[in-house]
Amino acid sequence: MILFLATHDLRMHDNPALAAALRCSEERGERLRVAWVRPDGWGGEGLYGIPRFSAGRKRFWESSWSAFAAACRSRGWEVSEGGGELFTEESGAPVAVFVSRAFSWNERVRETGWSEGCARRGVSFCAVEGHDLFAEAGLGFPLERFPETFTPFRGRVEKSGVILGEAEGGEGELGVDDEGLAGLGDGADSFPWGGSEREALERLSWYIWGSEGLRKYKETRNGLMGSAFSGKFSPWLATGALSVRRIWRETLRYEGEFGATDGTVWMRVELLWRSYFLWNARLRGAALFRRSGWNGRSASRGADGAHDAGAFLEWCEGRTGDGLVDAGMRELVAAGFMSNRVRQNAASFLIHELGCDWRAGAAFFESHLLDYEAGSNWGNWAYIAGVGSDPRPVRRFNTREQAERYDADGGYRRRWLGGACG
Ligand SMILES: Cc1cc2nc3c(=O)[nH]c(=O)nc-3n(C[C@H](O)[C@H](O)[C@H](O)COP(=O)(O)OP(=O)(O)OC[C@H]3O[C@@H](n4cnc5c(N)ncnc54)[C@H](O)[C@@H]3O)c2cc1C
């Protein structure tokens, strides 16, 4: 039996690890078994006793998995879920194990455990690159020479990076039709969808081809409300229901047909930010979660002041008295989503105004964000706390000014605070 360990890659399309497992099973005439290993932290607690998965984040992952499991079953593959035990009496020993290569520290520790377990039993183990645009060898520079900040990273990968080719397999019966386009477009909620690959592909199709979303992305991306102002791809990218390379290629295809716009170019820049934070996480390892950051800096109250548990609780519950921050925190808990603009403000407020330990905020985001991904979350938090990869020493937002600018009519605050608009 060939075992494919499904982790952050719950999709049929462009899934290099799954494609490699399938190829191996066909070549060797072995049956394929797909086993979902729940993400690191499932059911556990993180810093300050904060649950690592809210019920909403679990539900989202489960919906990604159940759609993927159904697609696997329909192809006649065996399917199971569990804690990542590779060798069970019931399933028998695999002859080879395939998994998507991990980026963040805990996942890498887990991956090393699997690799060593396989080596002890003489089972071949293969961790396949496939979660990012690039494989490590395609970055165009050795990881030890990873730039400290984003701009040189972008410059180097744009010049000499090689984007991974699309893996075989394909979405088959998941193929998106025009009917789907209406359902995943504009709406009042920021992320009203489930985790299936089909929804992810339909959303991508609507955003790029069925609307002006991509074309106008640069103008709309600072929006706070509704589902149309940005791609909303991130939750599916987190579970792997959507391939980042598919977004990239569809964006290029759009540019080929209609010409590049500020929107298309900016979308690709943002995808490079994701890439930057993934590789940063791979490089920094456990230091990504250190309060003083991987550089051992102490650049803000949030990085070295006393943590105020009372103020932190008010922040979590959306009771700080700052309208934009409170609205954002309530949205986060209710919907599992928050725009990038509000994330920046909420993080800045916790760090620079309340002086709380920035890692507590990161842990709370981890619990609730449907799109939680260790590199992007902890990397962005460290950035705002002044202990990360920001060329500016401190990134402090004036939340009142930001509210006036980005929520001029108060609609976002009213939506989440009712009449009590701060
Ligand atoms: C404090 C803080 C915590 C964050 N935590 C996460 C997280 O856990 N997971 C996560 O995916 N993003 C995180 N982000 C980044 C960003 O807010 C989200 O990626 C974005 O809001 C997702 O919405 P979208 O898919 O509509 O993005 P779009 O604006 O449509 O952008 C397209 C894609 O580009 C990538 N991207 C955009 N901005 C960033 C960024 N600043 N950093 C990394 N990638 C980016 C994402 O993959 C996103 O899906 C965080 C930002 C902040 C300030």
Side-chain angles (χ1 to χ4, degrees), residues 207 217 221 230-235 237 267 270-271 273-274 277 337-340 343-344 347 365 369 371-374 376-377 380-381 384:
Y207 191 74
Y217 170 66
R221 75 200 167 96
S230 64
K232 303 296 166 66
F233 306 135
S234 54
L237 286 171
M267 174 57 68
E270 295 297 359
L271 295 176
W273 267 108
R274 173 182 182 273
F277 281 125
F337 199 88
M338 204 192 238
S339 66
N340 186 58
R343 289 182 204 200
Q344 289 175 320
F365 270 32
L369 279 177
D371 67 18
Y372 169 75
E373 191 283 314
S376 287
N377 187 60
N380 270 290
W381 272 92
I384 295 169

Coordinates of all heavy atoms in Angstrom, one line a residue, residues 207 217 221 230-235 237 267 270-271 273-274 277 337-340 343-344 347 365 369 371-374 376-377 380-381 384, ligand 1:
Y207 N -13.8 35.6 -9.1 CA -13.0 36.8 -8.8 C -12.1 37.2 -10.0 O -12.0 38.4 -10.2 CB -12.1 36.5 -7.6 CG -11.4 37.7 -7.0 CD1 -12.2 38.6 -6.3 CD2 -10.1 38.0 -7.2 CE1 -11.6 39.8 -5.8 CE2 -9.5 39.1 -6.7 CZ -10.3 40.0 -6.0 OH -9.7 41.2 -5.5
Y217 N -8.3 45.1 -8.0 CA -7.9 44.6 -6.7 C -7.1 45.7 -5.9 O -7.4 46.0 -4.8 CB -7.0 43.4 -6.8 CG -6.3 43.0 -5.5 CD1 -7.0 42.6 -4.4 CD2 -4.9 43.1 -5.4 CE1 -6.4 42.2 -3.3 CE2 -4.3 42.7 -4.3 CZ -5.0 42.3 -3.2 OH -4.3 42.0 -2.0
R221 N -8.6 46.7 -2.3 CA -8.0 45.7 -1.3 C -8.0 46.3 0.2 O -7.9 45.5 1.1 CB -6.6 45.3 -1.7 CG -5.6 46.4 -1.5 CD -4.4 46.2 -2.3 NE -3.6 47.4 -2.2 CZ -2.6 47.6 -1.3 NH1 -2.2 46.7 -0.5 NH2 -2.0 48.8 -1.2
S230 N -11.5 41.8 -1.7 CA -10.2 41.1 -2.0 C -10.5 39.7 -2.4 O -11.6 39.3 -2.4 CB -9.3 41.2 -0.7 OG -9.9 40.5 0.4
G231 N -9.4 38.9 -2.7 CA -9.6 37.6 -3.2 C -10.3 36.6 -2.3 O -11.1 35.8 -2.7
K232 N -10.1 36.7 -1.0 CA -10.6 35.8 0.0 C -10.2 34.4 -0.3 O -10.9 33.4 0.0 CB -12.2 35.9 0.0 CG -12.7 37.2 0.3 CD -12.3 37.7 1.7 CE -12.5 39.1 2.0 NZ -13.8 39.6 2.0
F233 N -9.0 34.2 -0.8 CA -8.4 32.9 -1.0 C -7.8 32.3 0.2 O -7.6 31.1 0.2 CB -7.4 33.0 -2.1 CG -7.8 33.7 -3.4 CD1 -7.0 34.6 -4.0 CD2 -9.1 33.4 -4.0 CE1 -7.4 35.2 -5.2 CE2 -9.5 34.0 -5.1 CZ -8.7 34.9 -5.8
S234 N -7.4 33.1 1.2 CA -6.5 32.6 2.2 C -7.0 31.4 3.0 O -6.2 30.6 3.3 CB -6.1 33.8 3.1 OG -7.3 34.4 3.6
P235 N -8.3 31.3 3.4 CA -8.7 30.2 4.2 C -8.5 28.9 3.4 O -8.1 27.8 3.9 CB -10.2 30.4 4.5 CG -10.3 31.9 4.5 CD -9.4 32.3 3.3
L237 N -6.3 28.5 1.0 CA -4.8 28.3 0.9 C -4.3 27.6 2.1 O -3.4 26.8 2.1 CB -4.1 29.6 0.7 CG -4.2 30.3 -0.7 CD1 -3.7 31.7 -0.7 CD2 -3.5 29.4 -1.8
M267 N -1.8 41.7 -7.0 CA -2.2 40.4 -6.5 C -0.9 39.5 -6.5 O -0.7 38.8 -5.5 CB -3.3 39.8 -7.4 CG -3.6 38.3 -7.1 SD -4.2 38.0 -5.4 CE -5.8 38.9 -5.4
E270 N 1.2 40.3 -3.5 CA 0.7 39.8 -2.3 C 1.0 38.3 -2.1 O 1.3 37.8 -1.0 CB -0.8 40.0 -2.1 CG -1.2 41.5 -2.0 CD -0.6 42.2 -0.8 OE1 0.1 41.6 0.0 OE2 -0.9 43.4 -0.7
L271 N 0.9 37.6 -3.3 CA 1.2 36.2 -3.2 C 2.7 36.0 -2.9 O 3.1 35.0 -2.2 CB 0.8 35.5 -4.5 CG -0.7 35.5 -4.8 CD1 -0.9 34.8 -6.2 CD2 -1.5 34.7 -3.7
W273 N 4.3 38.0 -0.9 CA 4.4 38.2 0.6 C 4.1 36.9 1.3 O 4.8 36.5 2.3 CB 3.3 39.2 1.0 CG 3.8 40.6 1.1 CD1 3.5 41.6 0.2 CD2 4.7 41.2 2.1 NE1 4.2 42.8 0.6 CE2 4.9 42.5 1.7 CE3 5.4 40.7 3.2 CZ2 5.7 43.4 2.5 CZ3 6.2 41.5 3.9 CH2 6.4 42.9 3.6
R274 N 3.1 36.1 0.8 CA 2.8 34.8 1.5 C 4.1 34.0 1.4 O 4.5 33.3 2.3 CB 1.7 34.2 0.8 CG 1.4 32.8 1.2 CD 0.2 32.2 0.4 NE -0.1 30.8 0.8 CZ 0.5 29.7 0.3 NH1 1.4 29.8 -0.6 NH2 0.1 28.5 0.7
F277 N 6.8 35.0 3.8 CA 6.6 34.5 5.2 C 6.7 33.0 5.3 O 7.1 32.5 6.4 CB 5.2 35.0 5.7 CG 5.2 36.5 6.1 CD1 4.4 37.4 5.5 CD2 6.1 37.0 7.0 CE1 4.4 38.7 5.9 CE2 6.2 38.3 7.4 CZ 5.3 39.2 6.8
F337 N -12.8 35.7 10.3 CA -12.1 36.4 9.2 C -12.0 37.9 9.6 O -12.8 38.4 10.4 CB -12.8 36.3 7.9 CG -11.9 36.7 6.7 CD1 -11.1 35.7 6.1 CD2 -11.8 38.0 6.3 CE1 -10.2 36.0 5.1 CE2 -11.0 38.3 5.2 CZ -10.2 37.3 4.6
M338 N -11.1 38.6 9.1 CA -10.9 40.0 9.3 C -10.0 40.5 8.1 O -9.1 39.8 7.7 CB -10.1 40.2 10.6 CG -10.2 41.4 11.4 SD -8.8 41.4 12.6 CE -9.7 41.5 14.1
S339 N -10.3 41.7 7.6 CA -9.5 42.2 6.5 C -8.1 42.5 6.9 O -7.8 42.6 8.1 CB -10.1 43.5 6.0 OG -10.0 44.5 7.0
N340 N -7.2 42.5 6.0 CA -5.8 42.8 6.3 C -5.7 44.2 7.0 O -5.0 44.3 8.0 CB -5.0 42.8 5.0 CG -3.5 43.0 5.3 OD1 -2.9 42.2 6.1 ND2 -2.9 44.0 4.8
R343 N -6.8 43.8 10.6 CA -5.8 43.0 11.3 C -4.6 43.8 11.8 O -4.1 43.7 12.9 CB -5.2 41.8 10.4 CG -6.2 40.8 10.1 CD -5.6 39.6 9.3 NE -6.7 39.0 8.6 CZ -6.6 37.7 8.1 NH1 -5.5 37.1 8.2 NH2 -7.6 37.2 7.4
Q344 N -4.1 44.7 10.9 CA -3.0 45.5 11.2 C -3.3 46.5 12.4 O -2.5 46.7 13.3 CB -2.6 46.4 10.0 CG -2.0 45.6 8.9 CD -1.7 46.4 7.6 OE1 -2.5 47.2 7.2 NE2 -0.6 46.1 7.0
A347 N -3.8 44.5 15.7 CA -2.5 44.1 16.2 C -1.7 45.3 16.8 O -1.2 45.2 17.9 CB -1.7 43.4 15.1
F365 N -5.3 35.1 17.4 CA -5.6 35.1 15.9 C -5.5 33.6 15.4 O -6.3 33.2 14.6 CB -4.6 35.9 15.1 CG -5.0 37.4 14.9 CD1 -5.8 38.0 15.9 CD2 -4.6 38.1 13.8 CE1 -6.1 39.4 15.7 CE2 -4.9 39.4 13.6 CZ -5.7 40.1 14.5
L369 N -8.7 32.6 13.3 CA -8.6 32.9 11.8 C -8.8 31.6 11.0 O -8.0 30.7 11.2 CB -7.2 33.5 11.5 CG -7.0 35.0 11.7 CD1 -5.6 35.3 11.3 CD2 -8.0 35.8 10.9
D371 N -8.0 31.3 8.1 CA -6.8 31.3 7.2 C -5.5 31.1 8.0 O -4.4 31.3 7.4 CB -6.8 32.4 6.3 CG -6.5 33.8 6.9 OD1 -6.0 33.8 8.1 OD2 -6.8 34.8 6.3
Y372 N -5.6 30.8 9.3 CA -4.3 30.8 10.1 C -3.3 30.0 9.4 O -3.5 28.8 9.0 CB -4.6 30.2 11.5 CG -3.2 30.0 12.2 CD1 -2.5 31.0 12.6 CD2 -2.7 28.7 12.2 CE1 -1.2 30.8 13.2 CE2 -1.5 28.5 12.8 CZ -0.7 29.5 13.3 OH 0.5 29.3 13.8
E373 N -2.1 30.6 9.2 CA -1.0 29.9 8.7 C 0.2 30.5 9.5 O 0.3 31.7 9.6 CB -0.8 30.2 7.2 CG 0.2 29.3 6.4 CD 1.6 29.8 6.7 OE1 1.8 31.0 6.6 OE2 2.4 29.0 7.0
A374 N 1.0 29.6 10.0 CA 2.0 30.0 11.0 C 2.9 31.1 10.5 O 3.1 32.1 11.2 CB 2.8 28.8 11.5
S376 N 2.7 33.3 8.0 CA 2.0 34.6 7.8 C 1.5 35.3 9.1 O 1.6 36.5 9.2 CB 0.8 34.5 6.8 OG 1.3 34.2 5.5
N377 N 1.0 34.4 10.0 CA 0.4 35.0 11.2 C 1.6 35.5 12.1 O 1.6 36.7 12.4 CB -0.4 34.0 11.9 CG -1.1 34.6 13.1 OD1 -1.9 35.6 12.9 ND2 -0.8 34.2 14.3
N380 N 3.6 38.4 10.4 CA 3.0 39.7 10.4 C 2.9 40.3 11.8 O 3.1 41.5 11.9 CB 1.6 39.6 9.8 CG 1.5 39.7 8.3 OD1 1.7 40.8 7.8 ND2 1.2 38.6 7.6
W381 N 2.7 39.5 12.7 CA 2.6 40.0 14.1 C 4.0 40.5 14.5 O 4.2 41.6 15.1 CB 2.2 38.9 15.1 CG 0.7 38.9 15.3 CD1 -0.2 38.2 14.6 CD2 -0.1 39.7 16.2 NE1 -1.5 38.4 15.0 CE2 -1.5 39.4 15.9 CE3 0.2 40.7 17.1 CZ2 -2.5 40.0 16.7 CZ3 -0.9 41.2 17.9 CH2 -2.2 40.9 17.6
I384 N 4.7 43.9 13.0 CA 4.1 45.0 13.7 C 4.7 45.3 15.1 O 4.8 46.4 15.5 CB 2.6 44.8 13.7 CG1 2.0 44.8 12.3 CG2 1.9 45.9 14.5 CD1 0.6 44.4 12.1
Ligands
LIG1 C1 -1.5 40.6 12.2 C2 -1.8 39.8 10.9 C3 -2.0 38.4 10.9 C4 -2.1 37.8 9.7 N1 -2.3 36.4 9.8 C5 -2.5 35.7 8.6 C6 -2.6 34.3 8.6 O1 -2.6 33.6 9.7 N2 -2.8 33.7 7.4 C7 -2.8 34.4 6.2 O2 -3.0 33.8 5.2 N3 -2.6 35.7 6.2 C8 -2.5 36.4 7.4 N4 -2.3 37.7 7.3 C9 -2.1 38.4 6.0 C10 -3.4 39.0 5.3 O3 -4.1 39.7 6.2 C11 -4.3 37.9 4.8 O4 -3.5 37.0 4.0 C12 -5.4 38.5 3.9 O5 -6.1 39.4 4.6 C13 -6.3 37.4 3.4 O6 -7.4 37.9 2.6 P1 -7.4 37.6 1.1 O7 -7.2 36.2 0.7 O8 -8.7 38.3 0.6 O9 -6.2 38.5 0.6 P2 -5.9 39.2 -0.7 O10 -5.7 40.7 -0.4 O11 -6.8 38.9 -1.8 O12 -4.4 38.7 -1.1 C14 -4.2 37.5 -1.9 C15 -3.3 36.6 -1.1 O13 -2.1 37.1 -0.8 C16 -1.5 36.7 0.4 N5 -1.3 37.8 1.3 C17 -1.9 39.1 1.2 N6 -1.4 39.9 2.2 C18 -0.5 39.1 2.9 C19 0.3 39.4 4.0 N7 0.3 40.6 4.6 N8 1.1 38.4 4.5 C20 1.1 37.2 3.9 N9 0.3 36.9 2.8 C21 -0.5 37.8 2.3 C22 -2.6 35.8 1.0 O14 -2.3 34.5 0.7 C23 -3.9 36.2 0.3 O15 -4.9 35.2 0.2 C24 -2.1 38.5 8.5 C25 -1.9 39.9 8.5 C26 -1.8 40.5 9.7 C27 -1.6 42.0 9.7

